[in-house]
Amino acid sequence: MPAPDAPDAAPGEAGATVDGEEIDVEVERSDNALVVSAADVTATVYGMDAAGGRVALDADGNLRLEEGDSVVVEASGYEPGSEVEIWLRSTPVQLGVRTADASGAVTGRFAVPSSVDPGDHRVILSGLTAAGGKSVIGVGLRIGAYGKESGLNTWLIVVPVLLAVLAALVLPTTLRRRRRAHA
């Protein structure tokens, strides 16, 4: 089964389509979860650690999961009795399929696969809305431990600045000495 095409979404953001057309999305943060509202569907996505505790959002309000954690999805607004696929992307991995109950709600807890590379990913929910439209919602999150970025970026800025300052100090002095020597 191919993964659904889903809008890009950076960590802490979301995107959605209905019948292939992008729609407006609202993202709120509540109780260490990202709550996404798009058309008729509202989805709450959060992390749960191996001990069953809710994973706190990071300082930027992003959902960050580690190996051994699970992603939890609670959504409503789907056509009752319809199937809702839950995927994890960058490299598509189907986490599961849930059938919407009589009120159009689905829930699921899915372990983060150990094969997933650390980095930015999206949880995708794909199903029929209560109004009958094909809805695809992507919620951005981060997976894996990553500390501070390497110092390479800093050095790529600092070295040229230092060279420019050094040139500004040395060149005028050198030019003056040469002029005096030729005079």
PDB file of all heavy atoms in Angstrom, residues 101-144:
ATOM      1  N   ASP A 101     -14.912   4.949  14.991  1.00  0.00           N
ATOM      2  CA  ASP A 101     -16.073   4.434  15.728  1.00  0.00           C
ATOM      3  C   ASP A 101     -17.351   5.138  15.273  1.00  0.00           C
ATOM      4  O   ASP A 101     -17.340   5.933  14.322  1.00  0.00           O
ATOM      5  CB  ASP A 101     -15.845   4.535  17.236  1.00  0.00           C
ATOM      6  CG  ASP A 101     -15.748   5.972  17.752  1.00  0.00           C
ATOM      7  OD1 ASP A 101     -16.130   6.924  17.036  1.00  0.00           O
ATOM      8  OD2 ASP A 101     -15.266   6.147  18.894  1.00  0.00           O
ATOM      9  N   ALA A 102     -18.453   4.862  15.949  1.00  0.00           N
ATOM     10  CA  ALA A 102     -19.760   5.405  15.546  1.00  0.00           C
ATOM     11  C   ALA A 102     -19.797   6.931  15.581  1.00  0.00           C
ATOM     12  O   ALA A 102     -20.607   7.554  14.884  1.00  0.00           O
ATOM     13  CB  ALA A 102     -20.860   4.829  16.437  1.00  0.00           C
ATOM     14  N   SER A 103     -18.912   7.544  16.378  1.00  0.00           N
ATOM     15  CA  SER A 103     -18.881   9.014  16.433  1.00  0.00           C
ATOM     16  C   SER A 103     -17.820   9.587  15.493  1.00  0.00           C
ATOM     17  O   SER A 103     -17.627  10.804  15.451  1.00  0.00           O
ATOM     18  CB  SER A 103     -18.622   9.478  17.870  1.00  0.00           C
ATOM     19  OG  SER A 103     -17.312   9.100  18.275  1.00  0.00           O
ATOM     20  N   GLY A 104     -17.095   8.731  14.762  1.00  0.00           N
ATOM     21  CA  GLY A 104     -16.081   9.208  13.818  1.00  0.00           C
ATOM     22  C   GLY A 104     -14.715   9.413  14.448  1.00  0.00           C
ATOM     23  O   GLY A 104     -13.860  10.084  13.875  1.00  0.00           O
ATOM     24  N   ALA A 105     -14.482   8.809  15.619  1.00  0.00           N
ATOM     25  CA  ALA A 105     -13.205   8.990  16.330  1.00  0.00           C
ATOM     26  C   ALA A 105     -12.296   7.773  16.155  1.00  0.00           C
ATOM     27  O   ALA A 105     -12.776   6.641  16.022  1.00  0.00           O
ATOM     28  CB  ALA A 105     -13.463   9.228  17.813  1.00  0.00           C
ATOM     29  N   VAL A 106     -11.002   8.039  16.172  1.00  0.00           N
ATOM     30  CA  VAL A 106      -9.993   6.979  16.154  1.00  0.00           C
ATOM     31  C   VAL A 106      -8.931   7.305  17.202  1.00  0.00           C
ATOM     32  O   VAL A 106      -8.680   8.469  17.487  1.00  0.00           O
ATOM     33  CB  VAL A 106      -9.312   6.815  14.772  1.00  0.00           C
ATOM     34  CG1 VAL A 106     -10.295   6.346  13.720  1.00  0.00           C
ATOM     35  CG2 VAL A 106      -8.616   8.079  14.337  1.00  0.00           C
ATOM     36  N   THR A 107      -8.340   6.273  17.741  1.00  0.00           N
ATOM     37  CA  THR A 107      -7.220   6.448  18.664  1.00  0.00           C
ATOM     38  C   THR A 107      -6.204   5.350  18.385  1.00  0.00           C
ATOM     39  O   THR A 107      -6.557   4.272  17.891  1.00  0.00           O
ATOM     40  CB  THR A 107      -7.643   6.359  20.148  1.00  0.00           C
ATOM     41  OG1 THR A 107      -8.202   5.065  20.386  1.00  0.00           O
ATOM     42  CG2 THR A 107      -8.646   7.427  20.502  1.00  0.00           C
ATOM     43  N   GLY A 108      -4.962   5.634  18.705  1.00  0.00           N
ATOM     44  CA  GLY A 108      -3.934   4.615  18.549  1.00  0.00           C
ATOM     45  C   GLY A 108      -2.642   5.052  19.193  1.00  0.00           C
ATOM     46  O   GLY A 108      -2.323   6.238  19.252  1.00  0.00           O
ATOM     47  N   ARG A 109      -1.931   4.069  19.689  1.00  0.00           N
ATOM     48  CA  ARG A 109      -0.595   4.283  20.248  1.00  0.00           C
ATOM     49  C   ARG A 109       0.349   3.409  19.433  1.00  0.00           C
ATOM     50  O   ARG A 109       0.125   2.203  19.307  1.00  0.00           O
ATOM     51  CB  ARG A 109      -0.556   3.886  21.719  1.00  0.00           C
ATOM     52  CG  ARG A 109       0.801   4.041  22.340  1.00  0.00           C
ATOM     53  CD  ARG A 109       0.775   3.648  23.801  1.00  0.00           C
ATOM     54  NE  ARG A 109       2.119   3.670  24.353  1.00  0.00           N
ATOM     55  CZ  ARG A 109       2.415   3.388  25.601  1.00  0.00           C
ATOM     56  NH1 ARG A 109       1.453   3.073  26.447  1.00  0.00           N
ATOM     57  NH2 ARG A 109       3.662   3.428  26.010  1.00  0.00           N
ATOM     58  N   PHE A 110       1.394   4.029  18.876  1.00  0.00           N
ATOM     59  CA  PHE A 110       2.282   3.332  17.956  1.00  0.00           C
ATOM     60  C   PHE A 110       3.728   3.536  18.378  1.00  0.00           C
ATOM     61  O   PHE A 110       4.174   4.676  18.545  1.00  0.00           O
ATOM     62  CB  PHE A 110       2.096   3.870  16.530  1.00  0.00           C
ATOM     63  CG  PHE A 110       0.658   3.893  16.095  1.00  0.00           C
ATOM     64  CD1 PHE A 110      -0.101   5.056  16.209  1.00  0.00           C
ATOM     65  CD2 PHE A 110       0.056   2.754  15.595  1.00  0.00           C
ATOM     66  CE1 PHE A 110      -1.428   5.084  15.817  1.00  0.00           C
ATOM     67  CE2 PHE A 110      -1.285   2.774  15.196  1.00  0.00           C
ATOM     68  CZ  PHE A 110      -2.028   3.942  15.316  1.00  0.00           C
ATOM     69  N   ALA A 111       4.461   2.437  18.529  1.00  0.00           N
ATOM     70  CA  ALA A 111       5.877   2.519  18.878  1.00  0.00           C
ATOM     71  C   ALA A 111       6.647   3.145  17.723  1.00  0.00           C
ATOM     72  O   ALA A 111       6.373   2.870  16.553  1.00  0.00           O
ATOM     73  CB  ALA A 111       6.426   1.133  19.183  1.00  0.00           C
ATOM     74  N   VAL A 112       7.595   4.002  18.062  1.00  0.00           N
ATOM     75  CA  VAL A 112       8.475   4.571  17.042  1.00  0.00           C
ATOM     76  C   VAL A 112       9.377   3.434  16.563  1.00  0.00           C
ATOM     77  O   VAL A 112      10.099   2.844  17.365  1.00  0.00           O
ATOM     78  CB  VAL A 112       9.321   5.730  17.611  1.00  0.00           C
ATOM     79  CG1 VAL A 112      10.354   6.195  16.601  1.00  0.00           C
ATOM     80  CG2 VAL A 112       8.421   6.878  18.046  1.00  0.00           C
ATOM     81  N   PRO A 113       9.320   3.106  15.268  1.00  0.00           N
ATOM     82  CA  PRO A 113      10.150   2.002  14.771  1.00  0.00           C
ATOM     83  C   PRO A 113      11.638   2.296  14.965  1.00  0.00           C
ATOM     84  O   PRO A 113      12.101   3.418  14.753  1.00  0.00           O
ATOM     85  CB  PRO A 113       9.815   1.940  13.277  1.00  0.00           C
ATOM     86  CG  PRO A 113       8.498   2.634  13.140  1.00  0.00           C
ATOM     87  CD  PRO A 113       8.480   3.680  14.224  1.00  0.00           C
ATOM     88  N   SER A 114      12.385   1.269  15.375  1.00  0.00           N
ATOM     89  CA  SER A 114      13.825   1.449  15.605  1.00  0.00           C
ATOM     90  C   SER A 114      14.573   1.722  14.305  1.00  0.00           C
ATOM     91  O   SER A 114      15.683   2.242  14.326  1.00  0.00           O
ATOM     92  CB  SER A 114      14.415   0.224  16.301  1.00  0.00           C
ATOM     93  OG  SER A 114      14.218  -0.929  15.498  1.00  0.00           O
ATOM     94  N   SER A 115      13.954   1.412  13.172  1.00  0.00           N
ATOM     95  CA  SER A 115      14.600   1.623  11.874  1.00  0.00           C
ATOM     96  C   SER A 115      14.541   3.079  11.409  1.00  0.00           C
ATOM     97  O   SER A 115      15.184   3.438  10.422  1.00  0.00           O
ATOM     98  CB  SER A 115      13.929   0.743  10.813  1.00  0.00           C
ATOM     99  OG  SER A 115      12.558   1.083  10.688  1.00  0.00           O
ATOM    100  N   VAL A 116      13.802   3.911  12.111  1.00  0.00           N
ATOM    101  CA  VAL A 116      13.644   5.311  11.701  1.00  0.00           C
ATOM    102  C   VAL A 116      14.897   6.103  12.069  1.00  0.00           C
ATOM    103  O   VAL A 116      15.358   6.063  13.208  1.00  0.00           O
ATOM    104  CB  VAL A 116      12.397   5.935  12.352  1.00  0.00           C
ATOM    105  CG1 VAL A 116      12.307   7.415  12.065  1.00  0.00           C
ATOM    106  CG2 VAL A 116      11.145   5.229  11.870  1.00  0.00           C
ATOM    107  N   ASP A 117      15.431   6.820  11.085  1.00  0.00           N
ATOM    108  CA  ASP A 117      16.610   7.656  11.319  1.00  0.00           C
ATOM    109  C   ASP A 117      16.242   8.869  12.166  1.00  0.00           C
ATOM    110  O   ASP A 117      15.132   9.396  12.052  1.00  0.00           O
ATOM    111  CB  ASP A 117      17.187   8.152   9.990  1.00  0.00           C
ATOM    112  CG  ASP A 117      17.822   7.025   9.187  1.00  0.00           C
ATOM    113  OD1 ASP A 117      18.290   6.042   9.797  1.00  0.00           O
ATOM    114  OD2 ASP A 117      17.840   7.133   7.948  1.00  0.00           O
ATOM    115  N   PRO A 118      17.161   9.343  12.996  1.00  0.00           N
ATOM    116  CA  PRO A 118      16.913  10.569  13.753  1.00  0.00           C
ATOM    117  C   PRO A 118      16.699  11.739  12.799  1.00  0.00           C
ATOM    118  O   PRO A 118      17.274  11.781  11.713  1.00  0.00           O
ATOM    119  CB  PRO A 118      18.196  10.767  14.561  1.00  0.00           C
ATOM    120  CG  PRO A 118      18.872   9.441  14.569  1.00  0.00           C
ATOM    121  CD  PRO A 118      18.468   8.757  13.302  1.00  0.00           C
ATOM    122  N   GLY A 119      15.862  12.668  13.208  1.00  0.00           N
ATOM    123  CA  GLY A 119      15.633  13.865  12.407  1.00  0.00           C
ATOM    124  C   GLY A 119      14.176  14.277  12.404  1.00  0.00           C
ATOM    125  O   GLY A 119      13.380  13.832  13.229  1.00  0.00           O
ATOM    126  N   ASP A 120      13.836  15.132  11.443  1.00  0.00           N
ATOM    127  CA  ASP A 120      12.480  15.660  11.325  1.00  0.00           C
ATOM    128  C   ASP A 120      11.618  14.695  10.517  1.00  0.00           C
ATOM    129  O   ASP A 120      12.021  14.221   9.454  1.00  0.00           O
ATOM    130  CB  ASP A 120      12.502  17.027  10.645  1.00  0.00           C
ATOM    131  CG  ASP A 120      13.214  18.071  11.492  1.00  0.00           C
ATOM    132  OD1 ASP A 120      13.509  17.788  12.667  1.00  0.00           O
ATOM    133  OD2 ASP A 120      13.468  19.176  10.978  1.00  0.00           O
ATOM    134  N   HIS A 121      10.431  14.446  11.031  1.00  0.00           N
ATOM    135  CA  HIS A 121       9.487  13.512  10.404  1.00  0.00           C
ATOM    136  C   HIS A 121       8.077  14.090  10.513  1.00  0.00           C
ATOM    137  O   HIS A 121       7.874  15.144  11.102  1.00  0.00           O
ATOM    138  CB  HIS A 121       9.545  12.146  11.097  1.00  0.00           C
ATOM    139  CG  HIS A 121      10.880  11.480  10.975  1.00  0.00           C
ATOM    140  ND1 HIS A 121      11.222  10.701   9.902  1.00  0.00           N
ATOM    141  CD2 HIS A 121      11.959  11.488  11.793  1.00  0.00           C
ATOM    142  CE1 HIS A 121      12.454  10.245  10.059  1.00  0.00           C
ATOM    143  NE2 HIS A 121      12.928  10.723  11.209  1.00  0.00           N
ATOM    144  N   ARG A 122       7.122  13.364   9.946  1.00  0.00           N
ATOM    145  CA  ARG A 122       5.717  13.735  10.052  1.00  0.00           C
ATOM    146  C   ARG A 122       4.880  12.509  10.388  1.00  0.00           C
ATOM    147  O   ARG A 122       5.134  11.431   9.867  1.00  0.00           O
ATOM    148  CB  ARG A 122       5.197  14.295   8.720  1.00  0.00           C
ATOM    149  CG  ARG A 122       5.742  15.649   8.384  1.00  0.00           C
ATOM    150  CD  ARG A 122       5.391  16.028   6.964  1.00  0.00           C
ATOM    151  NE  ARG A 122       6.220  15.207   6.075  1.00  0.00           N
ATOM    152  CZ  ARG A 122       5.926  14.921   4.822  1.00  0.00           C
ATOM    153  NH1 ARG A 122       4.822  15.366   4.283  1.00  0.00           N
ATOM    154  NH2 ARG A 122       6.719  14.172   4.082  1.00  0.00           N
ATOM    155  N   VAL A 123       3.892  12.695  11.245  1.00  0.00           N
ATOM    156  CA  VAL A 123       2.866  11.688  11.459  1.00  0.00           C
ATOM    157  C   VAL A 123       1.741  12.070  10.502  1.00  0.00           C
ATOM    158  O   VAL A 123       1.299  13.224  10.474  1.00  0.00           O
ATOM    159  CB  VAL A 123       2.354  11.687  12.915  1.00  0.00           C
ATOM    160  CG1 VAL A 123       1.146  10.785  13.057  1.00  0.00           C
ATOM    161  CG2 VAL A 123       3.453  11.250  13.855  1.00  0.00           C
ATOM    162  N   ILE A 124       1.298  11.105   9.710  1.00  0.00           N
ATOM    163  CA  ILE A 124       0.275  11.347   8.696  1.00  0.00           C
ATOM    164  C   ILE A 124      -0.990  10.594   9.081  1.00  0.00           C
ATOM    165  O   ILE A 124      -0.931   9.398   9.404  1.00  0.00           O
ATOM    166  CB  ILE A 124       0.747  10.855   7.301  1.00  0.00           C
ATOM    167  CG1 ILE A 124       2.124  11.406   6.952  1.00  0.00           C
ATOM    168  CG2 ILE A 124      -0.295  11.157   6.245  1.00  0.00           C
ATOM    169  CD1 ILE A 124       2.213  12.874   6.792  1.00  0.00           C
ATOM    170  N   LEU A 125      -2.123  11.273   9.015  1.00  0.00           N
ATOM    171  CA  LEU A 125      -3.432  10.640   9.190  1.00  0.00           C
ATOM    172  C   LEU A 125      -4.162  10.788   7.866  1.00  0.00           C
ATOM    173  O   LEU A 125      -4.290  11.909   7.343  1.00  0.00           O
ATOM    174  CB  LEU A 125      -4.243  11.326  10.285  1.00  0.00           C
ATOM    175  CG  LEU A 125      -3.761  11.108  11.707  1.00  0.00           C
ATOM    176  CD1 LEU A 125      -2.683  12.103  12.060  1.00  0.00           C
ATOM    177  CD2 LEU A 125      -4.916  11.224  12.649  1.00  0.00           C
ATOM    178  N   SER A 126      -4.635   9.682   7.319  1.00  0.00           N
ATOM    179  CA  SER A 126      -5.305   9.698   6.026  1.00  0.00           C
ATOM    180  C   SER A 126      -6.610   8.930   6.120  1.00  0.00           C
ATOM    181  O   SER A 126      -6.616   7.743   6.463  1.00  0.00           O
ATOM    182  CB  SER A 126      -4.391   9.069   4.964  1.00  0.00           C
ATOM    183  OG  SER A 126      -5.033   9.014   3.719  1.00  0.00           O
ATOM    184  N   GLY A 127      -7.724   9.618   5.828  1.00  0.00           N
ATOM    185  CA  GLY A 127      -9.033   8.960   5.896  1.00  0.00           C
ATOM    186  C   GLY A 127     -10.126   9.849   5.359  1.00  0.00           C
ATOM    187  O   GLY A 127      -9.891  10.994   4.960  1.00  0.00           O
ATOM    188  N   LEU A 128     -11.357   9.315   5.344  1.00  0.00           N
ATOM    189  CA  LEU A 128     -12.511  10.063   4.861  1.00  0.00           C
ATOM    190  C   LEU A 128     -13.127  10.875   5.989  1.00  0.00           C
ATOM    191  O   LEU A 128     -13.384  10.345   7.074  1.00  0.00           O
ATOM    192  CB  LEU A 128     -13.577   9.109   4.304  1.00  0.00           C
ATOM    193  CG  LEU A 128     -13.217   8.353   3.036  1.00  0.00           C
ATOM    194  CD1 LEU A 128     -14.339   7.385   2.661  1.00  0.00           C
ATOM    195  CD2 LEU A 128     -12.961   9.334   1.890  1.00  0.00           C
ATOM    196  N   THR A 129     -13.370  12.158   5.716  1.00  0.00           N
ATOM    197  CA  THR A 129     -14.020  13.010   6.717  1.00  0.00           C
ATOM    198  C   THR A 129     -15.493  12.637   6.805  1.00  0.00           C
ATOM    199  O   THR A 129     -16.036  11.943   5.935  1.00  0.00           O
ATOM    200  CB  THR A 129     -13.902  14.495   6.353  1.00  0.00           C
ATOM    201  OG1 THR A 129     -14.666  14.740   5.169  1.00  0.00           O
ATOM    202  CG2 THR A 129     -12.457  14.907   6.143  1.00  0.00           C
ATOM    203  N   ALA A 130     -16.151  13.121   7.842  1.00  0.00           N
ATOM    204  CA  ALA A 130     -17.580  12.881   8.001  1.00  0.00           C
ATOM    205  C   ALA A 130     -18.362  13.441   6.810  1.00  0.00           C
ATOM    206  O   ALA A 130     -19.420  12.920   6.451  1.00  0.00           O
ATOM    207  CB  ALA A 130     -18.077  13.516   9.300  1.00  0.00           C
ATOM    208  N   ALA A 131     -17.810  14.462   6.148  1.00  0.00           N
ATOM    209  CA  ALA A 131     -18.454  15.050   4.969  1.00  0.00           C
ATOM    210  C   ALA A 131     -18.122  14.274   3.686  1.00  0.00           C
ATOM    211  O   ALA A 131     -18.599  14.628   2.608  1.00  0.00           O
ATOM    212  CB  ALA A 131     -18.037  16.511   4.823  1.00  0.00           C
ATOM    213  N   GLY A 132     -17.266  13.250   3.786  1.00  0.00           N
ATOM    214  CA  GLY A 132     -16.958  12.414   2.635  1.00  0.00           C
ATOM    215  C   GLY A 132     -15.718  12.785   1.852  1.00  0.00           C
ATOM    216  O   GLY A 132     -15.404  12.156   0.854  1.00  0.00           O
ATOM    217  N   GLY A 133     -14.975  13.802   2.286  1.00  0.00           N
ATOM    218  CA  GLY A 133     -13.755  14.191   1.589  1.00  0.00           C
ATOM    219  C   GLY A 133     -12.565  13.368   2.037  1.00  0.00           C
ATOM    220  O   GLY A 133     -12.502  12.912   3.178  1.00  0.00           O
ATOM    221  N   LYS A 134     -11.609  13.163   1.131  1.00  0.00           N
ATOM    222  CA  LYS A 134     -10.378  12.433   1.456  1.00  0.00           C
ATOM    223  C   LYS A 134      -9.425  13.399   2.152  1.00  0.00           C
ATOM    224  O   LYS A 134      -8.896  14.321   1.540  1.00  0.00           O
ATOM    225  CB  LYS A 134      -9.750  11.866   0.181  1.00  0.00           C
ATOM    226  CG  LYS A 134      -8.428  11.174   0.387  1.00  0.00           C
ATOM    227  CD  LYS A 134      -8.573   9.881   1.135  1.00  0.00           C
ATOM    228  CE  LYS A 134      -7.221   9.153   1.142  1.00  0.00           C
ATOM    229  NZ  LYS A 134      -7.229   8.020   2.006  1.00  0.00           N
ATOM    230  N   SER A 135      -9.206  13.209   3.450  1.00  0.00           N
ATOM    231  CA  SER A 135      -8.391  14.099   4.276  1.00  0.00           C
ATOM    232  C   SER A 135      -7.027  13.481   4.522  1.00  0.00           C
ATOM    233  O   SER A 135      -6.919  12.300   4.843  1.00  0.00           O
ATOM    234  CB  SER A 135      -9.099  14.345   5.608  1.00  0.00           C
ATOM    235  OG  SER A 135      -8.245  14.966   6.523  1.00  0.00           O
ATOM    236  N   VAL A 136      -5.974  14.306   4.375  1.00  0.00           N
ATOM    237  CA  VAL A 136      -4.615  13.898   4.726  1.00  0.00           C
ATOM    238  C   VAL A 136      -4.028  15.017   5.578  1.00  0.00           C
ATOM    239  O   VAL A 136      -3.955  16.166   5.143  1.00  0.00           O
ATOM    240  CB  VAL A 136      -3.738  13.655   3.477  1.00  0.00           C
ATOM    241  CG1 VAL A 136      -2.330  13.263   3.899  1.00  0.00           C
ATOM    242  CG2 VAL A 136      -4.351  12.600   2.569  1.00  0.00           C
ATOM    243  N   ILE A 137      -3.649  14.663   6.801  1.00  0.00           N
ATOM    244  CA  ILE A 137      -3.072  15.634   7.726  1.00  0.00           C
ATOM    245  C   ILE A 137      -1.664  15.176   8.071  1.00  0.00           C
ATOM    246  O   ILE A 137      -1.454  14.006   8.401  1.00  0.00           O
ATOM    247  CB  ILE A 137      -3.908  15.745   9.015  1.00  0.00           C
ATOM    248  CG1 ILE A 137      -5.311  16.257   8.692  1.00  0.00           C
ATOM    249  CG2 ILE A 137      -3.215  16.648  10.037  1.00  0.00           C
ATOM    250  CD1 ILE A 137      -6.255  16.249   9.879  1.00  0.00           C
ATOM    251  N   GLY A 138      -0.706  16.094   8.008  1.00  0.00           N
ATOM    252  CA  GLY A 138       0.677  15.810   8.398  1.00  0.00           C
ATOM    253  C   GLY A 138       1.069  16.687   9.568  1.00  0.00           C
ATOM    254  O   GLY A 138       0.899  17.904   9.520  1.00  0.00           O
ATOM    255  N   VAL A 139       1.571  16.073  10.630  1.00  0.00           N
ATOM    256  CA  VAL A 139       1.982  16.790  11.832  1.00  0.00           C
ATOM    257  C   VAL A 139       3.486  16.567  12.018  1.00  0.00           C
ATOM    258  O   VAL A 139       3.939  15.427  12.135  1.00  0.00           O
ATOM    259  CB  VAL A 139       1.214  16.295  13.076  1.00  0.00           C
ATOM    260  CG1 VAL A 139       1.649  17.069  14.312  1.00  0.00           C
ATOM    261  CG2 VAL A 139      -0.288  16.388  12.864  1.00  0.00           C
ATOM    262  N   GLY A 140       4.261  17.658  12.034  1.00  0.00           N
ATOM    263  CA  GLY A 140       5.712  17.562  12.136  1.00  0.00           C
ATOM    264  C   GLY A 140       6.189  17.271  13.547  1.00  0.00           C
ATOM    265  O   GLY A 140       5.645  17.791  14.516  1.00  0.00           O
ATOM    266  N   LEU A 141       7.211  16.407  13.641  1.00  0.00           N
ATOM    267  CA  LEU A 141       7.826  16.081  14.923  1.00  0.00           C
ATOM    268  C   LEU A 141       9.282  15.728  14.691  1.00  0.00           C
ATOM    269  O   LEU A 141       9.733  15.599  13.555  1.00  0.00           O
ATOM    270  CB  LEU A 141       7.093  14.927  15.614  1.00  0.00           C
ATOM    271  CG  LEU A 141       7.000  13.616  14.838  1.00  0.00           C
ATOM    272  CD1 LEU A 141       8.063  12.653  15.304  1.00  0.00           C
ATOM    273  CD2 LEU A 141       5.636  13.013  15.067  1.00  0.00           C
ATOM    274  N   ARG A 142      10.020  15.590  15.771  1.00  0.00           N
ATOM    275  CA  ARG A 142      11.433  15.209  15.693  1.00  0.00           C
ATOM    276  C   ARG A 142      11.619  13.889  16.405  1.00  0.00           C
ATOM    277  O   ARG A 142      11.026  13.652  17.450  1.00  0.00           O
ATOM    278  CB  ARG A 142      12.323  16.264  16.339  1.00  0.00           C
ATOM    279  CG  ARG A 142      12.353  17.513  15.520  1.00  0.00           C
ATOM    280  CD  ARG A 142      13.372  18.490  16.008  1.00  0.00           C
ATOM    281  NE  ARG A 142      13.447  19.569  15.018  1.00  0.00           N
ATOM    282  CZ  ARG A 142      13.763  20.797  15.306  1.00  0.00           C
ATOM    283  NH1 ARG A 142      14.078  21.131  16.535  1.00  0.00           N
ATOM    284  NH2 ARG A 142      13.802  21.713  14.356  1.00  0.00           N
ATOM    285  N   ILE A 143      12.498  13.070  15.831  1.00  0.00           N
ATOM    286  CA  ILE A 143      12.782  11.766  16.422  1.00  0.00           C
ATOM    287  C   ILE A 143      14.285  11.636  16.603  1.00  0.00           C
ATOM    288  O   ILE A 143      15.059  11.966  15.712  1.00  0.00           O
ATOM    289  CB  ILE A 143      12.256  10.629  15.531  1.00  0.00           C
ATOM    290  CG1 ILE A 143      10.727  10.691  15.471  1.00  0.00           C
ATOM    291  CG2 ILE A 143      12.714   9.269  16.057  1.00  0.00           C
ATOM    292  CD1 ILE A 143      10.088   9.664  14.587  1.00  0.00           C
ATOM    293  N   GLY A 144      14.666  11.143  17.769  1.00  0.00           N
ATOM    294  CA  GLY A 144      16.065  10.847  18.021  1.00  0.00           C
ATOM    295  C   GLY A 144      16.770  11.929  18.789  1.00  0.00           C
ATOM    296  O   GLY A 144      16.354  13.079  18.825  1.00  0.00           O
TER     297      GLY A 144
END
